[in-house]
Amino acid sequence: MAHESRFEANAEGYARFRPRYPDSLIDVVVGLIEGVAAPAGAPVLDVGSGTGIFARQLAERLPADLRVIGVEPARAMREQAFAAGGPPNLAFCDGAAEALPADIAGVRAVTAATAAHWFDAPRFFAEAERVLCPGGVLVIAEYVRAVETSPAARALEQFLAEEGGPKAYVRPDYAEALAGLAGFADPGIWTEDVEYALSVDAYVGLALSSSHARPVVARLGQGAAEEALAAIGRRLADAGGTIAYGYRFQLFWAHRTESG
Ligand SMILES: C[S@@+](CC[C@H](N)C(=O)[O-])C[C@H]1O[C@@H](n2cnc3c(N)ncnc32)[C@H](O)[C@@H]1O
């Protein structure tokens, strides 16, 4: 399945059920961005911006004269992003990680939030190097199911593996990739575990917003997939109907060398 159609199908559930990034993570990214000595007006590019969750949080936290431009290839995701609105320093455009808009250059930061595992990494890194100003920062953010500490996350991972087969992507080792990346220096990482209290409906909605749920729905049908997930959710819920669900949030970054 092409990534455009995969994400066209997911857009509404994604906008509704995916979490915001923790303020602590946004604070770290804002600190990295504000630490770049870029010319005034140099924007931030958020690649694979989807429904705009991360780009919107960044734009809200950065100074109002610092623009955040979300680059997103899937039209349905861009439509959700436009519909959700945001501050005036936030914009979205069509484009892909491997071919960022040709007229964009001299940006202070390139970010990719829970998106870079879909990219052709060498081509994305080459594009990031092209568009970043000297000293500019490349930041990869992501959240992954905390399968080691959260039974609810582990149960979902198991269900998707059993019913949906292998994932459509292999998650890169970003720490290793950025540490050895030509044209970049000063790599760093940051991690935080967050637990959410979900209703059974939210657990099902979150599960179905995963790209890995597409083959499950194709095989079982929407109704049976929902019922199977709801049954898992009811088993995991406490007496009040709440499920403790864990995500691990991670950041990886490196700075474009001054010499370019
Ligand atoms: C899991 S969503 C993340 C969206 C958003 N960054 C967030 O944090 O909520 C991944 C997004 O990456 C986009 N994507 C997939 N392949 C891409 C590529 N090659 N270039 C740019 N975006 C891509 C998808 O269309 C999707 O909107």
Side-chain angles (χ1 to χ4, degrees):
M1 185 190 284
H3 74 254
E4 285 85 355
S5 49
R6 178 180 290 118
F7 288 103
E8 303 294 345
N10 275 350
E12 204 188 322
Y14 202 95
R16 194 154 157 225
F17 293 108
R18 288 299 180 107
R20 283 167 58 86
Y21 292 81
D23 290 344
S24 50
L25 179 147
I26 298 295
D27 285 347
V28 174
V29 180
V30 165
L32 288 165
I33 292 170
E34 291 186 333
V36 174
V44 173
L45 218 55
D46 180 47
V47 184
S49 49
T51 59
I53 298 173
F54 181 76
R56 192 170 298 107
Q57 284 187 258
L58 267 191
E60 283 165 354
R61 271 283 279 106
L62 285 165
D65 60 352
L66 215 162
R67 282 180 310 138
V68 177
I69 304 168
V71 178
E72 168 56 46
R75 178 198 293 262
M77 290 299 231
R78 287 199 307 279
E79 284 174 357
Q80 290 285 341
F82 285 127
N89 59 334
L90 177 65
F92 297 98
C93 68
D94 189 7
E98 301 79 5
L100 294 174
D103 56 342
I104 289 187
V107 307
R108 73 180 63 224
V110 170
T111 62
T114 319
H117 53 285
W118 295 110
F119 304 167
D120 177 323
R123 290 174 64 202
F124 168 57
F125 292 147
E127 279 292 83
E129 189 183 2
R130 174 181 72 78
V131 301
L132 278 167
C133 69
V137 67
L138 168 62
V139 183
I140 294 176
E142 66 171 9
Y143 51 88
V144 291
R145 293 180 196 107
V147 290
E148 278 156 28
T149 52
S150 166
R154 193 160 54 245
L156 177 53
E157 187 91 358
Q158 265 164 14
F159 173 79
L160 293 174
E162 281 164 20
E163 301 292 343
K167 283 183 182 163
Y169 61 86
V170 177
R171 213 192 126 265
D173 183 336
Y174 297 119
E176 192 179 286
L178 293 187
L181 191 58
F184 287 83
D186 303 327
I189 59 176
W190 175 97
T191 299
E192 187 169 286
D193 286 346
V194 179
E195 194 173 90
Y196 294 86
L198 302 181
S199 66
V200 172
D201 283 353
Y203 183 72
V204 173
L206 183 65
L208 292 175
S209 77
S210 165
S211 61
H212 202 176
R214 293 302 99 207
V216 179
V217 170
R219 208 169 71 74
L220 300 181
Q222 182 79 20
E226 280 178 15
E227 189 35 55
L229 284 162
I232 296 172
R234 285 192 293 271
R235 277 204 304 277
L236 290 161
D238 66 15
T242 299
I243 301 167
Y245 187 89
Y247 270 131
R248 168 158 295 187
F249 287 83
Q250 311 187 118
L251 288 173
F252 307 87
W253 65 85
H255 291 84
R256 183 178 178 274
T257 50
E258 293 288 339
S259 51

